[in-house]
């Protein structure tokens, strides 16, 4: 079975930083992409950042320059360094693993930014 587990969420003040981690384990075959999505209360889920196996990254405009996605491919781990957080970043953050023919999701980790 494939397991995807996020960690690192919490309560942080406006302007602060957090680093999220996601570890994927199990029979994943070949991972093609990993990424982070988020869902704020009353909002639809949105893509935050993705990274390919080759290291190509993509960010939603609202986090460019503030968030950085990275991976440790050998350990099937993806990170999201979040700097200069603001209350609009408050959401449940979900890790996505794009393996061969299949997407896997974590259960999410809550990030709350207060002013």
């Amino acid at each position: 079975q494939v397991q995807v587990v996020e960690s690192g969420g919490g309560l942080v003040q406006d302007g602060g930083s957090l680093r999220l981690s996601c570890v994927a384990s199990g029979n994943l075959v070949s991972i093609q992409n990993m990424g982070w999505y988020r869902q704020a209360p009353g909002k639809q889920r949105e893509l935050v950042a993705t990274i390919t196996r080759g290291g190509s990254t993509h960010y939603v405009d609202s986090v460019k320059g503030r968030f950085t996605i990275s991976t440790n491919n050998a350990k099937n781990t993806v990170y999201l360094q979040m700097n200069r957080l603001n209350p609009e970043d408050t959401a449940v953050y979900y890790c996505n693993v794009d393996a061969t023919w299949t997407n896997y999701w974590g259960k999410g980790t809550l990030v709350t930014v207060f002013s």
Side-chain angles (χ1 to χ4, degrees):
Q1 302 87 343
V2 173
Q3 189 171 20
V4 179
V5 180
E6 305 99 333
S7 62
L11 184 66
V12 64
Q13 193 168 29
D14 191 353
S17 298
L18 286 173
R19 189 172 83 145
L20 306 182
S21 299
C22 171
V23 180
S25 61
N27 188 19
L28 286 163
V29 192
S30 180
I31 296 175
Q32 298 170 327
N33 304 280
M34 300 184 78
W36 291 93
Y37 293 71
R38 66 185 181 187
Q39 187 168 22
K43 303 280 189 177
Q44 290 187 314
R45 184 186 66 185
E46 68 170 347
L47 186 147
V48 178
T50 60
I51 185 166
T52 69
R53 189 169 58 183
S56 180
T57 60
H58 169 80
Y59 300 91
V60 68
D61 286 345
S62 61
V63 309
K64 287 181 179 177
R66 300 190 297 120
F67 291 10
T68 302
I69 188 170
S70 61
T71 58
N72 183 334
N73 287 332
K75 296 184 177 181
N76 291 332
T77 301
V78 62
Y79 307 95
L80 186 68
Q81 178 67 47
M82 305 185 294
N83 298 324
R84 303 195 305 279
L85 287 160
N86 61 69
E88 294 181 356
D89 296 315
T90 295
V92 176
Y93 284 71
Y94 297 93
C95 178
N96 176 71
V97 179
D98 179 13
T100 303
W101 304 118
T102 308
N103 280 301
Y104 301 95
W105 294 88
K107 294 183 178 180
T109 185
L110 177 63
V111 173
T112 302
V113 185
F114 66 94
S115 60

